[in-house]
Amino acid sequence: PREKEPMFFAVHGQGWSPVDNRTGHKAGYVIDALSDYVDLFKGAKDGQLIGEASTWYLYYDQTTIRNIKEIYGPTASAVKIIILLRNPAQRAWSHYWLKRRNGEEHLSFDQAIRPEVIRERLEKHYTAGFDYLGFGRYCRAVKNYLENFPQVKVLLFEEMIGDLPAAFSEISRFLGLAPFSDTKAEKKWRNVAGPPKNAFFGILSRFIYRPSTLKSLVKEAAPYRTRAGLKYRLSETLFQRERLPAELEKRLTGLYREDILALARLLGRNLDHWLAPETKGK
């Protein structure tokens, strides 16, 4: 659909709207009314699979699962759910820089992950992504989905980008599609988030990545694929990747260690590559 991440099942019926802290108003991409959500897919052809990719569904797993069951009713078991998980330390760092790039975040990383800062932002109903650490605690949410739906596929980000053709084939089988292979797929970082390469690019990025009336009009007129492709290419030009410092990675991995080990047991997968060097294999 035109909105890749409508977050619908995470916010529907909650009585509050997530706020974009840049504007002080409801986040423009969030859709909370059922009729508006259904409209996203009205262009689908008969027999065409439909879906979306809302990251909040893992964070707000209980609300999301309840809404899926209430709205789909007896057919909820036919819903196919794909969960893509990334090393939680790397994920938190990447998410932080994404918000910095988009003009939503002005604090240092250490300040932004303080419990009182996260609590204050969530109490103000700022978008859920400000809980950089909470988004990486996967185990409980994954277990909840596995227990509530018969068709759940869990993929690991690192394995996916390591062998894209195999990942495409696995997803195709799961969705009941003919084997799919993208011969143009590249192992290339897209949607780059980090500091601008220079002062001019910083000014330009503020115009491109922050909300505006003009951007809203373009969004309505241009298909998602077109907008995303342009945005990703621009990000590669304007920004440089900010790598996660080794000491911070070690600290974050320590926070996630027990959750990683519990997730590994739940999935029956080896997740040692998510653990810091000194804890691998232990």
Side-chain angles (χ1 to χ4, degrees):
R2 68 176 184 274
E3 197 62 71
K4 176 195 169 194
E5 302 182 52
M7 313 298 185
F8 170 73
F9 291 103
V11 300
H12 177 66
Q14 296 310 291
W16 56 271
S17 297
V19 175
D20 187 327
N21 69 320
R22 296 167 296 184
T23 65
H25 303 298
K26 175 184 174 182
Y29 57 89
V30 175
I31 292 175
D32 52 16
L34 178 58
S35 59
D36 293 336
Y37 183 72
V38 171
D39 279 348
L40 288 177
F41 305 98
K42 64 184 179 183
K45 301 174 183 178
D46 289 344
Q48 185 176 10
L49 292 184
I50 60 174
E52 40 106 341
S54 294
T55 54
W56 295 3
Y57 292 168
L58 203 63
Y59 185 75
Y60 291 122
D61 56 298
Q62 294 178 331
T63 299
T64 299
I65 290 171
R66 182 173 63 251
N67 276 329
I68 291 175
K69 289 188 170 184
E70 288 180 357
I71 290 171
Y72 277 89
T75 64
S77 60
V79 174
K80 293 188 177 183
I81 296 170
I82 297 175
I83 301 175
L84 179 63
L85 303 176
R86 183 181 184 180
N87 176 316
Q90 293 285 347
R91 195 224 64 80
W93 182 247
S94 176
H95 202 165
Y96 167 78
W97 278 104
L98 183 73
K99 285 195 171 292
R100 281 284 297 266
R101 182 196 75 182
N102 292 348
E104 297 175 82
E105 182 60 83
H106 304 286
L107 300 178
S108 70
F109 184 80
D110 276 339
Q111 289 175 315
I113 63 172
R114 289 176 180 172
E116 63 273 19
V117 172
I118 295 171
R119 183 169 57 251
E120 179 185 1
R121 287 172 160 180
L122 294 181
E123 287 174 351
K124 290 179 177 178
H125 295 311
Y126 286 176
T127 53
F130 282 106
D131 188 359
Y132 303 113
L133 298 185
F135 258 69
R137 296 189 176 99
Y138 305 136
C139 189
R140 188 213 68 221
V142 172
K143 184 173 185 289
N144 208 2
Y145 278 100
L146 291 172
E147 290 177 347
N148 280 277
F149 298 99
Q151 302 189 83
V152 178
K153 169 69 67 175
V154 179
L155 301 173
L156 302 182
F157 173 79
E158 297 81 9
E159 292 180 357
M160 182 175 181
I161 63 172
D163 191 343
L164 287 171
F168 288 145
S169 296
E170 185 176 358
I171 293 169
S172 297
R173 287 193 299 271
F174 177 67
L175 296 177
L177 300 172
F180 171 77
S181 178
D182 187 349
T183 56
K184 298 180 181 179
E186 300 177 74
K187 296 177 184 177
K188 184 177 181 180
W189 288 105
R190 299 191 182 277
N191 202 19
V192 176
K197 292 179 180 178
N198 57 52
F200 174 71
F201 283 176
I203 295 171
L204 186 58
S205 68
R206 286 195 288 275
F207 171 75
I208 295 171
Y209 288 92
R210 299 185 187 185
S212 71
T213 303
L214 176 60
K215 286 177 60 180
S216 298
L217 293 174
V218 171
K219 193 173 188 178
E220 289 297 321
Y224 170 77
R225 185 185 294 271
T226 301
R227 291 184 283 111
L230 177 60
K231 191 174 180 180
Y232 292 168
R233 286 193 293 274
L234 283 172
S235 75
E236 295 166 15
T237 300
L238 299 177
F239 303 100
Q240 56 189 352
R241 287 185 63 216
E242 188 75 5
R243 295 188 178 278
L244 176 60
E247 282 303 309
L248 178 56
E249 181 176 19
K250 179 180 177 181
R251 178 155 58 94
L252 291 175
T253 302
L255 294 175
Y256 286 121
R257 186 173 189 275
E258 292 306 316
D259 192 77
I260 291 172
L261 294 174
L263 180 66
R265 291 191 294 269
L266 174 68
L267 300 178
R269 305 281 296 273
N270 185 335
L271 298 178
D272 281 358
H273 58 290
W274 283 2
L275 299 172
E278 66 272 19
T279 62
K280 285 184 178 179
K282 294 185 180 179

